[in-house]
């Protein structure tokens, strides 16, 4: 499935299939830009600060953030050549990387919206005989006995492990960077099959037509927090409200009456308690000596 998703991002415009927060309203990226600038000051305003983004999509979030915090030292971690071209159109001076490891050393603030959920998960099923790992073999699922260390859940339970996400936050923490992760997922680790595929805006079978659908899985924020020091997770509506989503939307709406209704609707969509507002969570990976950052009070 890892390769199927890479093939999907490399060949499709994922934004034809679903809408993400930065695509909904420019205020999202602007708030994150203001947040990053504040964090930079908390770090002592180092001259050589790197502003990075993982999985920047079409580059909209960064373009919006840079209006609030203009800076040149921008690094993108992006595997899709097609999306890199879109990002280059919006942030031409950025530097691109396949992986976090090649981003130069130095103080860094990293933003990531809906990045971790695009990384492949390992899936395990509890059978009578013990845990088995699920693999895709010739278009079908097969279970093979596994020695992976998992809780003693009831037979039939499914567990997911996102090793890519764990490795990513560990590498970030090891270099003393600050990382802001916004993604879909529960507050507590749990059981359940959360792998889903969206194809042309509709739910699809994750195993059908590999490379044609966007495959994601819920992010297990509690597992990330067990792996590294972090603030949160908090719900997206609490985070964005604390950062001034509604005030900024109002000011923008007053200045652009033609866009006012659109802006207000988008702010509402990002914070609706029954949808994006509470399903999406925000986690900040940062050094243990950091004061509580805005949005995490
Ligand atoms: N942050 C954007 C895009 C989210 S879609 C937004 O909110 O609109 C997921 C993004 O992660 C895409 O840019 C995709 O190409 C990228 N991506 C997925 N897997 C990746 C990987 N293993 N390494 C680097 N980038 C990856």
């Amino acid at each position: 499935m890892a390769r199927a998703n890479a093939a999907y991002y490399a060949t499709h415009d994922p934004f034809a299939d679903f809408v993400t927060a930065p695509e909904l309203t420019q205020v999202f990226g602007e708030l994150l830009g203001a947040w990053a600038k504040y964090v930079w000051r908390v770090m002592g305003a180092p001259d050589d600060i790197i502003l990075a983004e993982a999985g920047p999509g079409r580059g909209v979030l960064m373009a919006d953030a840079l209006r609030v915090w203009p800076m040149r030292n921008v690094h993108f971690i992006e595997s899709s050549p097609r999306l890199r071209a879109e990002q280059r159109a919006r942030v031409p001076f950025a530097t691109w990387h396949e992986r976090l490891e090649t981003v130069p050393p130095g103080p860094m603030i990293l933003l990531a919206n809906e990045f971790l959920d695009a990384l492949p998960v390992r899936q395990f099923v509890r059978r009578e005989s013990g845990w088995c790992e699920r693999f895709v073999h010739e278009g079908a699922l097969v279970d093979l006995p596994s020695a992976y260390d998992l809780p003693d859940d009831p037979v039939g339970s499914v567990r997911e492990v996102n090793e890519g996400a764990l490795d990513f936050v560990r590498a970030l923490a090891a270099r003393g960077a600050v990382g802001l992760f916004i993604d879909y997922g529960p507050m507590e680790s749990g059981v359940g099959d959360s792998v889903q595929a969206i194809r042309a805006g509709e739910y699809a079978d994750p195993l059908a037509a590999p490379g044609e659908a966007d495959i994601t899985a819920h992010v297990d924020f509690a597992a990330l927090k067990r792996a590294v020091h972090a603030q949160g997770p908090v719900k997206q509506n609490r985070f964005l409200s604390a950062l001034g989503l509604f005030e900024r939307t109002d000011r923008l709406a007053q200045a652009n009456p033609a866009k006012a209704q659109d802006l207000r609707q988008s702010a509402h969509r990002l914070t609706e308690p029954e949808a994006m507002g509470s399903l999406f969570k925000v986690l900040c990976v940062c050094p243990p000596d950091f004061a509580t950052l805005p949005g995490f009070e």
Side-chain angles (χ1 to χ4, degrees):
M1 277 202 221
R3 236 172 298 139
N5 225 26
Y8 168 79
Y9 284 112
T11 54
H12 286 72
D13 175 6
F15 306 98
D17 293 350
F18 63 88
V19 182
T20 61
E23 300 285 331
L24 263 178
T25 171
Q26 69 184 78
V27 179
F28 186 80
E30 290 170 356
L31 293 175
L32 297 199
W35 184 90
K37 186 175 183 185
Y38 180 96
V39 171
W40 169 64
R41 292 213 198 89
V42 170
M43 293 166 113
D47 287 337
D48 55 344
I49 185 75
I50 291 169
L51 181 59
E53 188 180 353
R58 299 200 304 127
V60 173
L61 191 165
M62 186 59 82
D64 292 338
L66 291 173
R67 272 201 307 281
V68 177
W69 186 24
M71 58 110 76
R72 303 291 285 186
N73 200 5
V74 175
H75 291 257
F76 283 151
I77 299 157
E78 174 59 65
S79 52
S80 158
R82 182 192 167 106
L83 288 174
R84 281 186 182 199
E86 292 246 17
Q87 293 153 18
R88 192 169 295 115
R90 290 181 180 80
V91 189
F93 52 84
T95 307
W96 280 263
H97 304 266
E98 285 286 331
R99 315 167 43 80
L100 174 63
E101 283 63 32
T102 59
V103 178
M108 175 165 101
I109 301 169
L110 177 134
L111 307 173
N113 185 63
E114 296 207 46
F115 167 67
L116 298 177
D117 73 350
L119 304 179
V121 293
R122 292 174 72 173
Q123 221 182 43
F124 300 88
V125 195
R126 180 65 203 254
R127 300 291 180 210
E128 294 284 356
S129 55
W131 282 103
C132 291
E133 184 163 3
R134 244 178 205 177
F135 294 96
V136 180
H137 180 70
E138 293 178 353
L141 291 174
V142 295
D143 291 353
L144 293 177
S146 169
Y148 207 90
D149 184 26
L150 292 164
D152 191 22
D153 296 317
V155 170
S157 303
V158 174
R159 286 263 170 189
E160 292 169 345
V161 180
N162 189 333
E163 291 179 331
L166 289 163
D167 290 347
F168 194 91
V169 296
R170 284 198 187 104
L172 207 60
R175 51 180 287 167
V178 174
L180 188 73
F181 295 92
I182 306 175
D183 235 304
Y184 193 94
M187 280 288 181
E188 304 295 337
S189 302
V191 294
D193 174 358
S194 79
V195 173
Q196 72 171 39
I198 304 258
R199 185 180 179 188
E202 308 272 345
Y203 288 103
D205 173 0
L207 298 184
E212 290 294 315
D214 179 40
I215 300 171
T216 60
H218 293 182
V219 172
D220 185 352
F221 285 101
L224 300 178
K225 203 173 160 108
R226 285 192 293 273
V228 293
H229 181 82
Q231 296 183 18
V234 297
K235 291 177 178 176
Q236 170 167 284
N237 49 14
R238 186 175 137 196
F239 179 78
L240 294 177
S241 303
L243 262 50
L245 172 69
F246 294 104
E247 292 80 355
R248 203 175 178 94
T249 297
D250 269 346
R251 252 182 290 138
L252 210 60
Q254 278 159 18
N256 306 273
K259 284 171 72 185
Q261 201 194 353
D262 224 36
L263 285 163
R264 291 208 169 91
Q265 261 173 9
S266 300
H268 178 70
R269 234 180 115 178
L270 288 181
T271 51
E272 276 172 311
E274 60 285 353
M276 284 182 97
S278 64
L279 298 174
F280 278 77
K281 310 293 186 304
V282 189
L283 185 80
C284 177
V285 174
C286 68
D289 57 345
F290 262 52
T292 303
L293 292 170
F296 296 96
E297 297 92 350

